[in-house]
């Protein structure tokens, strides 16, 4: 099976802009989770989608949102970008969501 | 706040030696997982241990879990240069029906050839 794919791999934006990141799960995986990784805060859970519904949510402001499509592909959107949003955004997929997760290579977002 | 905290933060050893990393967590868990990350890339799942298990093996990896002490350890035996990576523990953070996976800050392992 093909692995988890994330696009784009690198992105440079300026403050105030918005960005959309995409994640395509492994075939058959219905759970998609998003994480933010920074040197200061480490890996933090953003949210999880399962069958097009947000099932769990971490402690992030409303500027961070997501959605999942009927083919399980997921997008994450960050509006009104701040410098502190610079991070590696990782997507992880699983068959059900509570066991082994398979991670994509990540999208490196730089906010200038 | 981080649920899992790895110790030590950094570990430097020679090829062939064993590497032991520890993880402590704060709340009850259903399972605990260990992941490896190479140089800012995606994480690779290594092993999952459930709360009713005490020890699990996978190749050169051995994981123990002590729920009374809320701690886990990852042992890599006969380490190789290719084991150089950051290692994270993750707990399922089950609380009130919600599921918030929580990762520690990781142990950076360097294996010198």
């Amino acid at each position: 099976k093909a692995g988890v794919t994330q696009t784009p791999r690198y992105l440079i934006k300026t403050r105030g802009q918005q960005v959309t990141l995409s994640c395509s799960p492994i075939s058959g995986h219905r759970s998609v989770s998003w994480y933010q990784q920074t040197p200061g805060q480490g890996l933090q859970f953003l949210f999880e989608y399962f069958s097009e519904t947000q099932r769990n949510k971490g402690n992030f402001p409303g500027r961070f949102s997501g959605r999942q499509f009927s083919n399980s592909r997921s997008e994450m959107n960050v509006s009104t970008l701040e410098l502190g949003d610079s991070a590696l955004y990782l997507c992880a997929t699983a068959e059900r969501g509570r066991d082994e997760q398979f991670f994509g290579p990540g999208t490196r977002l730089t906010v200038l | 706040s981080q649920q899992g905290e790895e110790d030590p933060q950094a570990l430097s050893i020679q090829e062939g030696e064993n590497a032991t990393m520890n993880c402590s967590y704060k709340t009850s868990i259903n399972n605990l997982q260990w992941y490896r990350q190479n140089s800012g890339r995606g994480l690779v799942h290594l092993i999952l241990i459930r709360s009713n298990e005490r020890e699990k093996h996978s190749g050169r990896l051995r994981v123990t879990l002590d729920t009374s002490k809320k701690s886990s350890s990852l042992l890599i035996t006969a380490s190789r240069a290719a084991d150089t990576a950051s290692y994270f523990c993750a707990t399922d953070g089950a609380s009130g029906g919600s599921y918030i996976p929580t990762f520690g800050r990781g142990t950076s392992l360097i294996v010198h050839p």
Side-chain angles (χ1 to χ4, degrees), chain B residues 9-61:
Chain B
Q9 287 188 330
L11 186 58
S12 180
I13 60 174
Q14 295 295 128
E15 215 168 26
E17 294 180 337
N18 295 343
T20 299
M21 289 158 260
N22 303 295
C23 168
S24 61
Y25 56 91
K26 298 174 184 174
T27 64
S28 297
I29 61 171
N30 294 315
N31 65 56
L32 184 145
Q33 303 181 60
W34 285 91
Y35 288 84
R36 183 187 76 225
Q37 184 178 36
N38 289 86
S39 189
R41 298 171 67 180
L43 278 71
V44 174
H45 184 268
L46 296 176
I47 200 164
L48 179 152
I49 187 166
R50 300 194 186 280
S51 59
N52 61 353
E53 297 176 309
R54 291 296 166 259
E55 187 171 313
K56 208 161 181 180
H57 296 257
S58 177
R60 294 183 295 111
L61 306 180

Side-chain angles (χ1 to χ4, degrees), chain A residues 15-32:
Chain A
R15 280 181 299 176
Q17 288 186 311
Q18 74 165 20
V19 66
T20 299
L21 312 180
S22 179
C23 172
S24 293
I26 292 171
S27 177
H29 285 194
R30 296 164 63 189
S31 167
V32 177

Side-chain angles (χ1 to χ4, degrees), chain A residues 35 37 40 56 88 97-98 103-104, chain B residues 31 37 40 42-43 99 101 105:
Chain A
Y35 297 84
Q37 186 177 30
N56 292 288
L88 180 66
R98 298 202 174 200
F103 281 78
Chain B
N31 65 56
Q37 184 178 36
L43 278 71
Y99 165 63
R105 293 189 181 277

